[in-house]
Structure formats: structure tokens, C-alpha cells
């Protein structure tokens, strides 16, 4: 290549880079789909590539981290899935009963049953909804009509779906990329977020330097930490790929938060952990979030932030911010109101912003 050609190439590459910078919205740059994250080297939640023997269970962590262990086991996440009772469907003279092997969901929203039959996994046709205290059709199964008893057994899950289901609701069910629910640790516990702990335990117990022997999510940049929680709660990019353009996307907090004007990819004050300690139960008292908002929205003149943004104080009220700016939204069929993480001025009668 001549000097002249090389110069043109360099200019073309520079121009492409500049254009990409203009065309790709700021907030999208750090975000990735979970499928890519789990294929990168190193630990990431829902990655099932490790040996089952590398997992030690939350009791083993409790010995040295009692504070996290005591609180974490009372969270909804720790109770997100595990073994269950008997599920029976009957119709006429036929009856079908199957030991109900697993229940997903603690019952804050509800419970859906998953069972194995002849090597395949099924999602129960009915779920239990806590808010209305009764069974109803499992979300997503509303449109499938029951034509036979076999249909009433529920929906056959593909192998990939079954794996993901257990990977998001339990710990260590997928090891060496194979689903084996008989080996699972119930719920989302320590190693679902920190990765398998055997190496860490061995290092600490032998008196060696334990730094770097277990994943600490505190080391993640804010944008990456949103994808971290998004491995299960769905990342911004996952939701884009799923193309959920309705109130149903209110369930996907990372997506909604990134769509908010408060979001900034390099500000830790607006990442999930700024408002939620994953080792503690969810706090429902609205006023307890005020200080999180006021960390940016303190003065009426506005606090200057990165990228030329300014966070002004509220002209309406100085407390209970989330009660007005993070409205509750109930998607059809879910019998549960989610908190819209797209922080905004929610005017009455305004349509739901997708
Ligand atoms: C025998 C005691 C012991 C056990 C058991 C133990 N840890 Fe630790 N852990 C430590 C010590 C000591 C440190 C501090 C290491 C350091 O900073 O040098 C630590 C640090 C950590 C860190 C921060 C790591 C970092 O690099 O910043 C995490 C996260 C962690 N432990 C999670 C766990 C989990 C999850 C389990 C169970 C799978 C567990 N630990 C079991 C003693 C233990
Ligand atoms: C391995 C999957 C997984 C990861 C990783 C994960 N979550 Fe969760 N989370 C869940 C599941 C499943 C539930 C639903 C639990 C239930 O109600 O049964 C949940 C529920 C929650 C709740 C609601 C608790 C309640 O009491 O209603 C909060 C808050 C939460 N997660 C925050 C986070 C944050 C913050 C992170 C990142 C640090 C995170 N989660 C990472 C799977 C995960
Ligand atoms: C990518 C991760 C992921 C997959 C895959 C997944 N879930 Fe969930 N599920 C969640 C999270 C996170 C929540 C917490 C509520 C929310 O934000 O929607 C949840 C909530 C639930 C709830 C409501 C629980 C409650 O009480 O809070 C049920 C029931 C449930 N899931 C069942 C299932 C079943 C059954 C499957 C598989 C067939 C499945 N989920 C697959 C992540 C996942
Ligand atoms: C839902 C995900 C999740 C689960 C489950 C979880 N952690 Fe963590 N853990 C985190 C995150 C995120 C951080 C970083 C917190 C931060 O940035 O403030 C962390 C930090 C830690 C630290 C380091 C604290 C420090 O000061 O640096 C320890 C130790 C720890 N966790 C232990 C545990 C133990 C033990 C369990 C199980 C009882 C557990 N974690 C369960 C997400 C989780
Ligand atoms: C600025 C504060 C703030 C941030 C940042 C934040 N949340 Fe929340 N979150 C809340 C509030 C407030 C609630 C509602 C609590 C209640 O009313 O019980 C909530 C509720 C939840 C729930 C329970 C289900 C629901 O929709 O009500 C989950 C799950 C959750 N958050 C996950 C996340 C995840 C994942 C992130 C990061 C993408 C995140 N949150 C970031 C404030 C925040
Ligand atoms: C990291 C700093 C930060 C945090 C934390 C934060 N915000 Fe913001 N917020 C901003 C910035 C910056 C803007 C203005 C963005 C712009 O001008 O484009 C903004 C805009 C807003 C707006 C106007 C939105 C619109 O659509 O016009 C409201 C309302 C708001 N924030 C409320 C809140 C509430 C309530 C909380 C706590 C739950 C909160 N913010 C937390 C930085 C933050
Ligand atoms: C009673 C409901 C309510 C509460 C509580 C409330 N706000 Fe507001 N807020 C509003 C309304 C309505 C507006 C729009 C005002 C207008 O446009 O005239 C607004 C506007 C804002 C704006 C945009 C300001 C601007 O100049 O663009 C921000 C930022 C904001 N609020 C933050 C907060 C914070 C932070 C808190 C808690 C300390 C809070 N709000 C509490 C109703 C509320």
C-alpha cells in the first residue's frame, strides 16, 4: 500500500469511528446482550461452564461472611426457586399426576411449576398468583388453547429455555453446560452472583492471599454492573433483541433505567447497587430512596454532571421522590405492579413510554 493509500484508509477508519460515535446513542455503548457476556472469559451470572464440584453452597460462605449470609437468605432472590410438591391435572377419566419437581418464584408475585418427564422439561399451565391468592394461566400461555389433556400438562420447554430458567432462579443447576436440577442449590445465592467458591475457600483456608480468587462485582464500571444484574433481570440489549414494545417491558429494570434521562454510563449513583443491596431484602418505604435521588438533584440551580448534564431540584416536592417519578405499572395478566425504573415526570393520562 502506498503512503497515499494508507492515509486514505486512516481517514476512512477515523470517519467511520466518528460516525458510529454519532449514530450509536451514548447509553448503548457499554451495554451488551447476555449471550455475549457469558461467552467472554471469566465469571458472569448464568454462565454454566464450571464444574459442579467448584460450588460450595451458601452455608460454607456463612462461616466467614456472616453478615451477608444472614441477610441474604431472607431475600426474595434467595427464595427464587427450588424443589416443590405434587402437581395434578385431571380431565374426564384421564388423570395425570407428576411429582412437581420445582417451583420458580417465592410467591411475592407468584409461583410457576416446572417438572421433568421422560427427559423433557415442562412449564406448568397454571401458576399461583399471590396478590389475588389463586391459580391462573401462566403468563405467556394465555393464547395456547387446551385441546387435550397432554396440553394441560403445560408447555414443553426447549433445552435452552429449561437451562436458562434454572440458571436465573437457582444456583449451580447448570454445570459443564449441562442442566442437572438434582444437583441444584435452591434460590439465587452467593455463587449465582460471585461464581463458584471452592478456589476462594481453599486460598483463604491455606492462608494464601485471597485477593482475586472470587468475583467482586464492586469492581465493575457502572454500565457493566447494569449488565451484571441484567444477566437475570435482562440487559438493555437483551430487551432490544427481544423487542418487547409494551408495558411488559416494565419488568426489565435495566432497560427502563437506561431509557431514563437520569442515566449516565459512568455514574455509580444511578446503577442498581446505588439503590439496592443485593444481600438485603427489598426496601418498600418510598422516603428511604430520597437520599439516592438527592445525591444528584440537590439544588434548584442544578448540579453539573458528566457529559454536560445538569440535575435540578424538584419544583414540586422535596421528599418521597419515587412515589411520583417511579410509577407502578401492572402489565396484563401478571397480577402484579412493577416499579417503572424509567425515572421521569409521569403526567396523568400520558401513555406508557416504550
Ligand atoms: C474461611 C473464610 C472464608 C470463607 C469460607 C469465604 N470467604 Fe470470602 N473472603 C474471606 C476473606 C479473608 C476475604 C478478604 C480477602 C482479601 O481482601 O484479601 C474474602 C473476600 C471475599 C470477597 C471480596 C473479594 C475481593 O477480591 O474483593 C468476596 C466477594 C467473597 N469473599 C465472597 C465469598 C463467598 C461467595 C464465599 C462462599 C462461596 C466466601 N467468600 C467464603 C474469607 C472467606
Ligand atoms: C442469577 C440471577 C439473578 C441475578 C444475577 C440478579 N438477580 Fe435479582 N432477582 C432474580 C430473581 C429470579 C428474582 C425474583 C425472585 C422472586 O421473587 O422469586 C429477583 C428479584 C430481585 C429483586 C426484588 C426483591 C423483592 O423482594 O421483591 C431485587 C431488588 C433484585 N432482584 C435486585 C438485583 C440486583 C441489584 C442485582 C445485581 C446486583 C440482581 N438482582 C441480580 C435473579 C437474579
Ligand atoms: C433471564 C433470566 C430468567 C429466566 C430465563 C426466567 N426467569 Fe423467571 N424471573 C426472573 C426475574 C429476574 C424475576 C423477577 C421478577 C421480574 O423482574 O420479572 C422473575 C420472576 C419470575 C416469577 C415471579 C416470581 C416472584 O414471586 O417474584 C416466576 C413465577 C418465574 N419468574 C418463573 C419462571 C419460569 C418457570 C421460568 C422458566 C420456564 C423463568 N421464570 C425463566 C428471571 C428469569
Ligand atoms: C444478587 C447478587 C448477589 C448475591 C446473591 C450475593 N452477592 Fe455478594 N455482592 C454482590 C454485589 C453486587 C457486590 C458488590 C457490592 C457493592 O458494589 O456495593 C457484592 C459484594 C460482596 C462482598 C464484598 C464486600 C466488600 O466489602 O467488598 C462479599 C464478602 C459478598 N458479597 C459476600 C456474599 C455472600 C457470602 C453471599 C451469599 C450469602 C452473597 N455475597 C450473595 C452481589 C451478590
Ligand atoms: C434510583 C433508585 C433505584 C435504582 C437505581 C434501581 N432501583 Fe430497583 N427499585 C427502586 C424502587 C423505589 C423500587 C420499589 C420498591 C417498592 O416499592 O417496594 C424498586 C424495585 C425493584 C424490584 C422489585 C420489582 C418491582 O419492579 O417493583 C426489582 C427487581 C428491582 N428494583 C431491580 C432493580 C435493578 C435490576 C436495578 C438496576 C438496573 C435497579 N432496580 C435500580 C429503586 C431503584
Ligand atoms: C446520577 C445522578 C442522578 C440520580 C441518582 C438521579 N437523577 Fe434524575 N436526572 C439526572 C440528570 C442529569 C437529569 C437531567 C437529564 C437531562 O437534562 O437530560 C435528570 C432528570 C430527572 C427528571 C426529569 C426527567 C424528564 O423526563 O424530564 C426527573 C423527574 C428526575 N430526574 C427524578 C429523579 C428521581 C426521582 C431520582 C431518584 C429516584 C433521580 N432522578 C435520580 C441525574 C440523576
Ligand atoms: C407529588 C409528586 C412529586 C414528588 C413527591 C416529587 N416530584 Fe419531582 N416533579 C413532580 C412534577 C409534577 C414535576 C413537573 C413540574 C413541572 O413541569 O411543572 C416534577 C419535576 C421534577 C424534576 C424536573 C425539574 C426540572 O427543572 O426539569 C426533577 C428533577 C424532579 N421533579 C425530581 C424530584 C426529586 C429528586 C424528588 C424528591 C426529592 C421529587 N421530584 C419529588 C412531582 C413530584
Amino acid at each position: 500500500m502506498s503512503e497515499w493509500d494508507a492515509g486514505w484508509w486512516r481517514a476512512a477508519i477515523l470517519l467511520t469511528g466518528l460516525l458510529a460515535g454519532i449514530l450509536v446513542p451514548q447509553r448503548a455503548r457499554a451495554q451488551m446482550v447476555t449471550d455475549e457476556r457469558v461467552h467472554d472469559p471469566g465469571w458472569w451470572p448464568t454462565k454454566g461452564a464450571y464444574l459442579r464440584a467448584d460450588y460450595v453452597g451458601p452455608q460454607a460462605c456463612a462461616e466467614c461472611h456472616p453478615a451477608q449470609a444472614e441477610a441474604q437468605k431472607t431475600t426474595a432472590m434467595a427464595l427464587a426457586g427450588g424443589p416443590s410438591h405434587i402437581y395434578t391435572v385431571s380431565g374426564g377419566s384421564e388423570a395425570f399426576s407428576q411429582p412437581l419437581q420445582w417451583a420458580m418464584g417465592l410467591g411475592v408475585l407468584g409461583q410457576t411449576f416446572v417438572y421433568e418427564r421422560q427427559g423433557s422439561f415442562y412449564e406448568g399451565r397454571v401458576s399461583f398468583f399471590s396478590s389475588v391468592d389463586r391459580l391462573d394461566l401462566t403468563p405467556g400461555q394465555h393464547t395456547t388453547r387446551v385441546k387435550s389433556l397432554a396440553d394441560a400438562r403445560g408447555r414443553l420447554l426447549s433445552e435452552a429455555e429449561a437451562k436458562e430458567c434454572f440458571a436465573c432462579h437457582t444456583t449451580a443447576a447448570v454445570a459443564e453446560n449441562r442442566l442437572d436440577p438434582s444437583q441444584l442449590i435452591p434460590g439465587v445465592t452467593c455463587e449465582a452472583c460471585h461464581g463458584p467458591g471452592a478456589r476462594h475457600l481453599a486460598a483463604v483456608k491455606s492462608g494464601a492471599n485471597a485477593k482475586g480468587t472470587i468475583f467482586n462485582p464492586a469492581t465493575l464500571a457502572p454500565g457493566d454492573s447494569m449488565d451484571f444484574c441484567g444477566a437475570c433481570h435482562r440487559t438493555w440489549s437483551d430487551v432490544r433483541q427481544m423487542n418487547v414494545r409494551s408495558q411488559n417491558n416494565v419488568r426489565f429494570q435495566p432497560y427502563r433505567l437506561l431509557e431514563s434521562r437520569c442515566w449516565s454510563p459512568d455514574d455509580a449513583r444511578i446503577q442498581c447497587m446505588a439503590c439496592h443491596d443485593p444481600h438485603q431484602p427489598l426496601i418498600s418505604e418510598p422516603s428511604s430512596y430520597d437520599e439516592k435521588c438527592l445525591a444528584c438533584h440537590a439544588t434548584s440551580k442544578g448540579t453539573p454532571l458528566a457529559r454536560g448534564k445538569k440535575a435540578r431540584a424538584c419544583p414540586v416536592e422535596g421528599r418521597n421522590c419515587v412515589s411520583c417519578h417511579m410509577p407502578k405499572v401492572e402489565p396484563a395478566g401478571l397480577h402484579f405492579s412493577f416499579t417503572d425504573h424509567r425515572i421521569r415526570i409521569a403526567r396523568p393520562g400520558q401513555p406508557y413510554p416504550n
Side-chain angles (χ1 to χ4, degrees), residues 294 297 312 314-321 324-325 345 347:
L294 295 171
H297 293 283
R312 275 177 252 281
C314 185
V316 177
E317 212 163 309
R319 61 199 170 92
N320 292 337
C321 320
C324 293
H325 294 298
I345 300 168
R347 304 200 187 270

Side-chain angles (χ1 to χ4, degrees), residues 58 61-62 65 68-69 72 77 188-190 193-194 216-218 228 271 273 278-279:
C61 315
H65 303 291
Q68 280 91 349
Q72 206 269 331
M77 278 195 273
V188 174
T189 56
C190 319
C193 287
H194 292 288
N216 188 349
F228 180 85
Q271 68 183 12
M273 278 94 84
H279 310 101

Side-chain angles (χ1 to χ4, degrees), residues 50-350:
Y50 294 82
L51 298 173
R52 178 61 184 84
D54 290 345
Y55 291 86
V56 297
Q59 297 84 354
C61 315
E63 187 191 331
C64 305
H65 303 291
Q68 280 91 349
E70 270 310 303
Q72 206 269 331
K73 68 179 179 208
T74 68
T75 65
M77 278 195 273
L79 303 164
S84 188
H85 356 273
I86 303 287
Y87 178 61
T88 311
V89 176
S90 55
S93 57
E94 279 183 286
F96 157 77
S97 176
Q98 174 70 34
L100 210 223
Q101 280 140 333
W102 301 281
M104 303 303 174
L106 146 89
V108 172
L109 282 72
Q111 268 186 339
T112 297
F113 309 108
V114 173
Y115 62 90
E116 190 178 358
R117 195 179 167 82
Q118 291 161 356
S120 297
F121 288 89
Y122 294 81
E123 180 189 66
R125 189 168 166 76
V126 290
S127 292
F128 182 78
F129 292 88
S130 319
S131 62
V132 288
D133 198 24
R134 64 174 163 83
L135 293 167
D136 199 348
L137 287 173
T138 300
Q141 295 203 28
H142 288 72
T143 47
T144 42
R145 283 179 56 202
V146 182
K147 294 186 216 85
S148 69
L149 192 57
D151 287 348
R153 285 173 187 167
R155 189 168 65 86
L156 174 67
L157 300 174
S158 72
E159 204 186 314
E161 269 181 298
K163 264 188 185 171
E164 286 170 9
C165 185
F166 282 93
C168 288
H169 282 267
T170 67
T171 307
V174 186
E176 291 177 84
N177 296 316
R178 232 171 42 81
L179 172 62
D180 182 1
S182 70
Q183 296 294 311
L184 66 76
I185 299 166
V188 174
T189 56
C190 319
E191 293 164 291
C193 287
H194 292 288
R199 199 162 69 93
H200 175 59
L201 246 76
V204 180
K205 294 210 162 160
S206 72
N209 183 358
K211 267 261 172 282
T213 53
I214 193 155
F215 188 73
N216 188 349
T219 58
L220 293 168
D224 292 322
S225 84
M226 295 274 280
D227 275 7
F228 180 85
C229 304
C232 300
H233 290 273
R234 302 333 192 278
T235 68
W236 183 88
S237 305
D238 288 342
V239 176
R240 273 299 164 100
Q241 200 174 55
M242 290 152 71
N243 196 21
V244 193
R245 291 281 181 176
S246 70
Q247 290 203 354
N248 287 332
N249 68 24
V250 74
R251 298 183 52 176
F252 309 131
Q253 299 87 7
Y255 176 77
R256 299 301 291 170
L257 191 59
L258 258 77
E259 290 290 320
S260 160
R261 288 178 61 195
C262 301
W263 168 251
S264 164
D266 33 38
D267 199 321
R269 288 172 297 184
I270 196 71
Q271 68 183 12
C272 311
M273 278 94 84
C275 290
H276 303 296
D277 180 343
H279 310 101
Q280 297 285 340
L282 178 67
I283 297 169
S284 292
E285 173 51 43
S287 64
S288 65
Y289 294 90
D290 289 352
E291 60 175 277
K292 316 294 185 193
C293 311
L294 295 171
C296 293
H297 293 283
T299 71
S300 56
K301 277 205 242 121
T303 315
L305 299 166
R307 297 171 201 262
K309 283 192 176 187
K310 254 187 180 181
R312 275 177 252 281
C314 185
V316 177
E317 212 163 309
R319 61 199 170 92
N320 292 337
C321 320
V322 298
S323 63
C324 293
H325 294 298
M326 293 183 74
K328 305 282 179 190
V329 174
E330 186 178 326
L334 285 186
H335 303 297
F336 184 81
S337 293
F338 289 88
T339 308
D340 195 350
H341 283 63
R342 178 158 168 166
I343 303 169
R344 61 195 155 92
I345 300 168
R347 304 200 187 270
Q350 200 184 40

